Amino acid sequence: MTKFAFVTGANKGIGYEIVRQLAEKKYHVFLGARNAELGQKAVQSLGFSNISFVQVDISDTQSIQNSKNKILEVTDHLDLLINNAGIALDFNILPTELKVETLREEFDVNFFGTFQMIQTFLPLVKKSQDGKIVNVTTDMASQTMFDSGEVHPLNILGYNSSKTAMNSLTLAFGKEFGTSGPEILGVTPGFTSTDLNGNAPGGKTTAEGAQIIVNYALTEKNYNGKILDKNGVIPW
């Protein structure tokens, strides 16, 4: 039986590689992207028959609903929902210099967008026998690790705090889902060189970052309500 996955923010970077790796494992993957032209180009360049494009802007409630309707034309269930879409607008901006509009925009996508994706697609994920929701986060969103200096000391309030809030979504939904399912977890690929950080040198490749996320997406081990990096569960 075909397994179905929906990956948002997938026309480039880590999302693009997640799509490739799931398609190689014979998933039918819906490649989600805000920009239709870039999304369709990404599908063509990947070159798999089991990848299809779905337009979705996660900051837009109607767009999320439209993407659900499009997926329902193909399947009534999703085995994997990977909330990868996210924005970082305040790299190199100090918290004291951050504009509230920028902060709102980041929360609109990273927190409210992810929240709406979970609520909207939950009925489809519940229809899968072992449905799973994976939220792509950052280790800088761990208050404990950020405070202790265990992660990159980039004090980017908007990006980091919106992802911390997303982590709290993971915990809250995880508590509600409990043992009855579906499973929800957050995964940080760790420092990866992508467009998000201006392709900063010294990070993992996008394929390596994606592999960490895919490994947790496909594992049989249950990590409901947890936040994970490549080594396992990390503190909040």
Side-chain angles (χ1 to χ4, degrees):
M1 200 159 106
T2 304
K3 291 204 162 193
F4 292 92
F6 186 21
V7 184
T8 61
N11 59 285
K12 63 180 181 180
I14 290 173
Y16 180 88
E17 289 297 332
I18 292 171
V19 170
R20 181 203 304 278
Q21 291 173 26
L22 288 173
E24 283 170 353
K25 301 214 181 293
K26 305 296 181 242
Y27 274 75
H28 183 109
V29 190
F30 299 104
L31 184 153
R34 194 173 40 179
N35 182 303
E37 189 187 349
L38 294 177
Q40 281 153 351
K41 274 186 180 162
V43 170
Q44 285 168 354
S45 71
L46 282 161
F48 287 81
S49 60
N50 51 324
I51 299 175
S52 44
F53 171 66
V54 173
Q55 198 274 331
V56 63
D57 176 353
I58 73 164
S59 68
D60 182 323
T61 304
Q62 190 55 56
S63 176
I64 292 173
Q65 193 56 52
N66 293 347
S67 72
K68 179 186 175 185
N69 294 340
K70 180 115 192 233
I71 285 171
L72 283 170
E73 290 172 11
V74 181
T75 174
D76 70 342
H77 73 279
L78 272 181
D79 300 280
L80 276 178
L81 170 63
I82 300 187
N83 290 311
N84 170 72
I87 56 171
L89 305 175
D90 59 330
F91 271 80
N92 303 313
I93 299 175
L94 294 169
T96 49
E97 294 168 0
L98 180 63
K99 289 187 167 69
V100 70
E101 293 81 7
T102 306
L103 185 62
R104 283 190 214 280
E105 204 178 332
E106 287 176 293
F107 266 79
D108 208 28
V109 174
N110 299 346
F111 179 71
F112 292 106
T114 302
F115 170 75
Q116 289 189 89
M117 284 292 298
I118 294 166
Q119 278 199 342
T120 303
F121 284 93
L122 185 58
L124 278 74
V125 179
K126 275 184 163 173
K127 280 199 173 147
S128 165
Q129 273 195 308
D130 46 6
K132 198 182 284 194
I133 299 169
V134 179
N135 298 326
V136 178
T137 187
T138 171
D139 48 15
M140 294 184 298
S142 162
Q143 304 292 279
T144 307
M145 292 172 77
F146 187 68
D147 184 46
S148 67
E150 290 174 72
V151 296
H152 271 263
L154 296 174
N155 197 12
I156 38 181
L157 174 65
Y159 179 66
N160 289 359
S161 67
S162 62
K163 289 290 194 174
T164 302
M166 191 179 83
N167 288 355
S168 78
L169 277 183
T170 307
L171 180 61
F173 278 110
K175 294 284 187 198
E176 181 184 342
F177 299 161
T179 51
S180 58
E183 190 184 343
I184 186 167
L185 53 140
V187 180
T188 170
F191 176 37
T192 306
S193 301
T194 67
D195 282 0
L196 198 75
N197 53 32
N199 292 298
K204 297 178 187 70
T205 65
T206 50
E208 288 166 342
Q211 187 70 63
I212 293 164
I213 296 158
V214 169
N215 286 348
Y216 282 118
L218 301 183
T219 184
E220 304 261 309
K221 193 167 177 184
N222 190 297
Y223 288 107
N224 184 51
K226 302 295 185 208
I227 306 294
L228 304 128
D229 70 4
K230 68 182 194 301
N231 299 318
V233 178
I234 62 172
W236 293 99

